[in-house]
Amino acid sequence: MVATDPKAGATAAEPSSPGLLGQLIRFGLIGGFCALVDFGVYQGLRALGMDATPWVDIARAISFIVGTTTAFFLNRKFTFAGGRQEGARQIGSFVALYAVTFLVAVGVNRTMLHVLPDSAWKATFGWVVSQATATVINFVMLKWVVFREPRATVSTVVSSTEEN
């Protein structure tokens, strides 16, 4: 018996990514949710007395870790599933990326707290600028390093066409 369906006998593959626009939309939605988590933790810790140096930096560090860890797992599942890789390489890339963005987020927040004039919105604006900077770095590095999708090689394309 000859199969007429070109997909007959094919095994289920890993889910492919939704494309750049789809990834940006999903990343934005997940990022917005995780930014609220991050900001809520930051404001909560400040309300508990972590509002002066060095405690405000520690509060920002804790909120960053909570928000970005949540974002990593949600983006791994829903945004960059096509590039999902298991193992030490992905974990190493994740740790390196988040170490850099952690330092950037805390450093930008600290800088903003020093350069902005005193106001009721100073800490909030500093957080927003630091979060935006870290978010841009995260998207670029998650897409093209941590969750990089495998490229189709000539041998993959040839063997795929030979099977059909």
Side-chain angles (χ1 to χ4, degrees):
M1 175 182 247
V2 176
T4 57
D5 181 6
K7 294 182 182 180
T11 59
E14 283 290 316
S16 64
S17 68
L20 182 60
L21 181 59
Q23 286 176 329
L24 284 168
I25 291 168
R26 290 177 186 194
F27 186 81
L29 292 172
I30 290 169
F33 169 74
C34 293
L36 291 174
V37 170
D38 183 331
F39 188 65
V41 169
Y42 180 62
Q43 293 295 6
L45 292 171
R46 289 181 60 235
L48 292 173
M50 296 179 78
D51 201 30
T53 303
W55 298 108
V56 71
D57 294 331
I58 294 169
R60 182 61 183 111
I62 292 168
S63 73
F64 175 84
I65 291 167
V66 171
T68 54
T69 300
T70 304
F72 172 80
F73 288 108
L74 291 175
N75 279 311
R76 178 179 170 180
K77 175 76 175 163
F78 299 109
T79 305
F80 303 111
R84 187 173 180 181
Q85 302 169 6
E86 303 297 332
R89 181 169 177 244
Q90 186 179 58
I91 293 168
S93 297
F94 165 75
V95 169
L97 169 61
Y98 281 84
V100 169
T101 55
F102 169 80
L103 294 172
V104 168
V106 173
V108 169
N109 192 67
R110 166 63 30 219
T111 301
M112 297 307 294
L113 293 176
H114 280 298
V115 300
L116 292 172
D118 286 333
S119 75
W121 293 95
K122 180 178 179 175
T124 301
F125 187 71
W127 179 88
V128 168
V129 172
S130 70
Q131 185 65 25
T133 305
T135 298
V136 169
I137 293 168
N138 275 338
F139 180 80
V140 170
M141 296 305 289
L142 284 172
K143 174 153 182 63
W144 285 289
V145 177
V146 177
F147 297 119
R148 182 179 66 229
E149 292 185 36
R151 295 180 188 203
T153 62
V154 173
S155 62
T156 305
V157 173
V158 170
S159 69
S160 156
T161 56
E162 287 175 354
E163 291 174 4
N164 291 331

